[in-house]
Amino acid sequence: YSYYTNKKNILNEYGEYEEDISDISIANGISPAYTDSTNESLVANELYSNVDKIKFDSRIGYYKSLYIGHVVEGDYRKNASSGGIGTWIFKELFEKGLINGVIHVKEDKSDNGKLFSYQISRSMDEIKDGAKTKYYPVELSEVLKIVKETPGKYAVIGIPSFIYGLRLLAKKDSLVRERIKYMIGLVCGHQKSSTFADFMGWQLGFKPGDITYINFRKKLEGRKSSDYGIEVHGYIDGKYEEKISPTSELLGQDWGQGWFKVFASDYTDDVFNETADMVLGDAWLPEYTNDSGGNNIVIVRNPVIGDLIKDAQNENRLKLDAVDADKIFMSQSAHYRHTHEELAYRLYKRDKECVNRPQKRVNASKNIPFTRRKIQDMREIISISSHVYFKEAVEKGDINYFINKMLPLERKYRNYYRLERLKKMNFSKFKKKVFGLLKK
């Protein structure tokens, strides 16, 4: 919407981008949150239903092939958060002359206070600089203006709402449709505000505003791929420092709890980026997480990308296991439950409050188990509270103020999970567990 109306996106006081919608008639059909005339299923059907030998799964959408694995050639895997296939596919498209520009998130070195932003890379060195996952708010309007002004063939990478938004925009804007040739999708648990980075740094001694660099997914040799670290550079009491910490030693890293979650993240039902030509995510499966190098799940929908992957496999440049839809789904099953299955309850709550919310493919309902409803309630409380309390902590200059406000909420959240586990026990085990807790 900002691109289409020449509005400027700015971060609000909580470190989030908000769309300034002044004309709903324009937003309808461009902004995913305000579009009720279509949905991801319909757009994906237009894009992929006629692709030769395409398959469909109700959970992951259309697919030609499914893989789990990593890049073997070069240092793509070493320099990536996971298996390195995201940067690698851009390299392939670029070297084959299929694109001459990549739209992706990179370190922002301009003097605007942002750590990361969407930028356009036009060489292999620039493309490689965009490797790794960034848990940081970004927006597309500025680079889309460059695309409109600069003829070329582009590829873009983004989370589900971004890719779907681009598909909607491409329907109305012929330049976007003609110039963005390939859309690569990411599986995304949820978006974070910029204050997530501030809190990670503050725990390591860097006060908000004193961070110059952050790597949210630092691979730690000898550990599971899911047990990664955070690397932060910046200034502590005026002295430049570089620190690394395992995420297991930091608060706010439980993705289920949703510290610093952007509120809009709870209103998408697109788990596997259904309108993207290729989808990448983390292979959160026991047989793959033991490998500290990391592995990607890969969903291929575009035949051109499928051919590039097959050629690379034949040349031993990729190590990929062909898998089925169940395996891909299992790698993100907890994410799917929250994003898709339990979205019904969040929609029910908004309707009960008479609050406007996006039209989704999931119907509003409170018909989920009691403990799951309470877990959903606590996730919402934790998310909203983290934004409010962190702002207050920054104003007070006291990180412990924030921690002391958040820890009771975290304990309550964990107690509901304990209750859920108790409910799954048979009665004799339940009695034994309860009496054991009472004895303690």
Side-chain angles (χ1 to χ4, degrees), residues 326-357:
D326 288 338
K327 183 69 76 172
I328 295 292
F329 172 77
M330 286 305 299
S331 74
Q332 305 290 330
S333 58
H335 173 28
Y336 188 90
R337 177 171 65 176
H338 174 82
T339 301
H340 195 276
E341 294 173 355
E342 295 181 351
L343 171 61
Y345 177 63
R346 299 194 294 278
L347 297 176
Y348 162 80
K349 288 176 66 177
R350 300 293 83 80
D351 290 348
K352 190 176 180 181
E353 296 162 355
C354 298
V355 173
N356 287 333
R357 48 83 170 178

Side-chain angles (χ1 to χ4, degrees), residues 59-91:
R59 301 162 298 179
I60 68 174
Y62 286 98
Y63 66 95
K64 272 188 71 69
S65 48
L66 305 171
Y67 304 102
I68 297 179
H70 58 266
V71 181
V72 174
E73 68 172 319
D75 57 1
Y76 295 96
R77 188 189 193 199
K78 178 183 176 181
N79 294 329
S81 296
S82 193
I85 295 177
T87 305
W88 178 87
I89 194 62
F90 288 140
K91 182 267 294 187

Side-chain angles (χ1 to χ4, degrees), residues 14 53 76 78 137 156 158 214 216 274 290 351 404 433 436:
Y14 300 107
K53 296 182 180 178
Y76 295 96
K78 178 183 176 181
V156 64
I214 184 167
F216 295 98
E274 296 169 47
N290 286 329
D351 290 348
N404 291 335
K433 185 72 174 178

Side-chain angles (χ1 to χ4, degrees), residues 226-244:
S226 55
D227 189 11
Y228 50 84
I230 276 190
E231 179 179 5
V232 183
H233 302 175
Y235 293 88
I236 299 176
D237 297 327
K239 182 182 177 183
Y240 180 78
E241 301 273 0
E242 296 182 3
K243 292 191 176 185
I244 297 173

